[in-house]
Amino acid sequence: MNPEQETYTLIERYLSKKLSPGEMADFEARCKTDQAFANEVILHTLAREEIHAASMEKLKADLQSRFQESKKARIIDIRRTRIQWIVSAAAAIALFVLAIKYIPGMFAPAYSPDALYAMNFSIPELHDDSVRGPNKGGDTAGSVSNAIWAQAIQAVSQGKAGEAVELYTQLMQDSALMQRAPSALNYQMGIALMLSDRHEEAIPYFDQVKSFDQKPMADWYKALAYLKINRLDEARTLLQSLSADQEQPAERRNQAAEILRKIEKIRE
């Protein structure tokens, strides 16, 4: 099997909910670190959505057509009509059975919290500029903290979630650093925990982000964390706020609005 076919088969197994827990964890980790793969997941999800909609429309049209034919036949010959109706009903049932058998997941919801999360989560660009500056008075401790923070950011960008969490934990024990940049550290710790699949633990860190510049992004990732752990009401509240916030970039507002629309489909 060539790599392209392997990717297609893997995504189909994910969308059909046939991955083992271990495979699911590997799949979600790959979505976070491999943007090209994440794009393929989005394309496959949308394609299945279109197939689902088209199949349902075709089934509806077939049944309506057969029903109209049976009405005309009733006027001509009631006995023949009954036979046609039985055949039509049997055909509809057969079509339904075949659809379930050969198009896995066609009648399942087009969206799920996990799928929405995978489609919308990406690793943000992180900075430690808030603690950079002259090393006055030979502040060796400050230099060490700067170096550790740079390592933590690098670990996040490389998808080394466990290492990143350990480094941020170490940084947050530096009271002077926490006093200088509490929002940045809490925000980045939240991201590291999300990469570690510890979404519920990440939420309290995002709650501690008070900086005007960083709070919107913290709220965005907090909404995704709520989505991942299927706390849809909390996710909706944050996304509604983000979609209505004119200070947000238009792309982010539209993205939040689109997730809200899909959450409503999940809840239907």
Side-chain angles (χ1 to χ4, degrees):
M1 187 182 297
N2 62 46
E4 184 176 349
Q5 183 62 37
E6 287 180 355
T7 298
Y8 175 83
T9 301
L10 175 61
I11 295 173
E12 282 297 307
R13 290 183 63 220
Y14 166 73
L15 294 175
S16 302
K17 301 185 183 301
K18 292 184 177 179
L19 295 181
S20 68
E23 289 174 324
M24 179 66 77
D26 291 342
F27 185 95
E28 293 178 350
R30 185 175 174 185
C31 283
K32 297 171 185 175
T33 58
D34 186 341
Q35 190 60 53
F37 180 73
N39 290 339
E40 285 295 323
V41 175
I42 293 171
L43 290 174
H44 279 268
T45 302
L46 294 175
R48 283 170 62 96
E49 190 179 317
E50 291 299 322
I51 291 171
H52 170 73
S55 299
M56 292 301 291
E57 286 300 319
K58 185 177 185 305
L59 178 58
K60 180 180 177 181
D62 286 346
L63 291 175
Q64 288 177 336
S65 174
R66 288 169 182 163
F67 180 69
Q68 292 300 325
E69 289 174 4
S70 71
K71 286 176 64 178
K72 293 177 183 178
R74 186 180 294 112
I75 298 172
I76 298 171
D77 187 344
I78 188 64
R79 289 170 298 176
R80 188 173 64 186
T81 299
R82 287 175 180 171
I83 294 172
Q84 288 178 338
W85 177 251
I86 291 170
V87 171
S88 296
I93 292 171
L95 180 61
F96 183 81
V97 171
L98 287 172
I100 292 176
K101 183 175 181 180
Y102 293 108
I103 310 179
M106 189 179 97
F107 294 97
Y111 308 105
S112 69
D114 277 347
L116 285 180
Y117 176 85
M119 291 165 65
N120 289 280
F121 178 84
S122 60
I123 300 175
E125 184 177 355
L126 305 179
H127 304 280
D128 63 340
D129 296 340
S130 55
V131 295
R132 292 194 180 278
N135 187 13
K136 296 180 180 179
D139 183 5
T140 305
S143 298
V144 171
S145 293
N146 286 350
I148 294 173
W149 200 339
Q151 292 172 28
I153 289 174
Q154 184 177 30
V156 168
S157 67
Q158 294 174 347
K160 299 177 181 178
E163 179 182 336
V165 170
E166 290 181 7
L167 289 168
Y168 281 116
T169 299
Q170 183 177 344
L171 286 168
M172 296 180 89
Q173 293 171 357
D174 183 337
S175 58
L177 182 59
M178 281 296 293
Q179 188 174 8
R180 288 200 300 271
S183 289
L185 283 169
N186 278 289
Y187 169 62
Q188 294 184 24
M189 176 61 126
I191 297 297
L193 287 167
M194 289 181 76
L195 286 173
S196 299
D197 201 24
R198 295 161 63 179
H199 297 81
E200 194 151 7
E201 293 177 56
I203 292 169
Y205 287 96
F206 291 132
D207 287 335
Q208 296 301 313
V209 177
K210 308 299 182 183
S211 165
F212 178 81
D213 293 334
Q214 293 170 314
K215 191 175 188 310
M217 288 301 293
D219 285 346
W220 167 251
Y221 283 100
K222 183 165 67 169
L224 292 182
Y226 278 133
L227 186 63
K228 176 66 175 176
I229 60 179
N230 205 24
R231 288 168 60 175
L232 298 185
D233 287 338
E234 290 98 329
R236 286 176 68 234
T237 298
L238 282 170
L239 290 166
Q240 285 168 348
S241 176
L242 289 166
S243 66
D245 184 359
Q246 295 302 311
E247 297 296 324
Q248 290 287 326
E251 182 180 359
R252 178 56 47 78
R253 296 200 308 271
N254 293 337
Q255 194 174 4
E258 181 65 13
I259 298 175
L260 282 169
R261 184 181 70 81
K262 292 177 179 177
I263 286 177
E264 293 307 316
K265 286 185 173 289
I266 294 173
R267 296 165 65 92
E268 288 177 356

